[in-house]
Amino acid sequence: MKGIEDKLSHQFQARKQAQQKDQYQEGYKQEVLEVMQQPSEETQYKQLFKQSLLAQLGISDEKDSSKEAKKEAEAEKRREIRKWIHKIFCTE
């Protein structure tokens, strides 16, 4: 009887740990997706500065500035993802 209780207890603990791991991974995935969707403050500042400068010069080429802003935002996302991955794998 004791052996069965030990086995069931072990199985319960294993399932509980697996659920906690799944929850952690899902939470992490959500955090990464949120970071990827939001441009950094630096990117936003650069975009606003460029728009202000272009406006002062009387230039309004929104196509080029939006393309460049998208490229910068994508690059920033990649940098953020690399930071997250480095943080996870290099601190444990």
Side-chain angles (χ1 to χ4, degrees):
M1 188 70 164
K2 180 70 173 161
I4 294 172
E5 287 179 14
D6 289 342
K7 185 176 181 179
L8 290 174
S9 176
H10 178 68
Q11 288 175 349
F12 174 77
Q13 289 298 326
R15 272 190 252 124
K16 185 176 176 181
Q17 287 177 345
Q19 287 174 342
Q20 288 174 337
K21 182 181 176 185
D22 289 344
Q23 288 173 348
Y24 173 80
Q25 287 177 335
E26 185 60 32
Y28 174 75
K29 179 181 171 183
Q30 290 300 321
E31 281 187 55
V32 169
L33 290 174
E34 287 174 17
V35 168
M36 289 175 61
Q37 291 173 351
Q38 299 173 354
S40 72
E41 288 181 30
E42 180 182 356
T43 302
Q44 292 174 354
Y45 175 79
K46 285 180 180 179
Q47 185 178 3
L48 289 173
F49 178 76
K50 183 176 179 181
Q51 288 174 351
S52 173
L53 186 58
L54 289 174
Q56 290 175 6
L57 295 172
I59 303 169
S60 62
D61 188 12
E62 293 186 21
K63 271 190 173 179
D64 288 342
S65 65
S66 66
K67 284 181 185 178
E68 188 172 321
K70 286 179 185 178
K71 286 180 184 178
E72 180 64 30
E74 288 297 322
E76 185 64 31
K77 286 178 191 177
R78 285 190 293 276
R79 285 191 291 271
E80 290 294 326
I81 291 170
R82 285 186 194 118
K83 286 180 189 178
W84 276 92
I85 291 171
H86 181 71
K87 187 176 182 181
I88 289 173
F89 291 108
C90 295
T91 59
E92 293 181 5

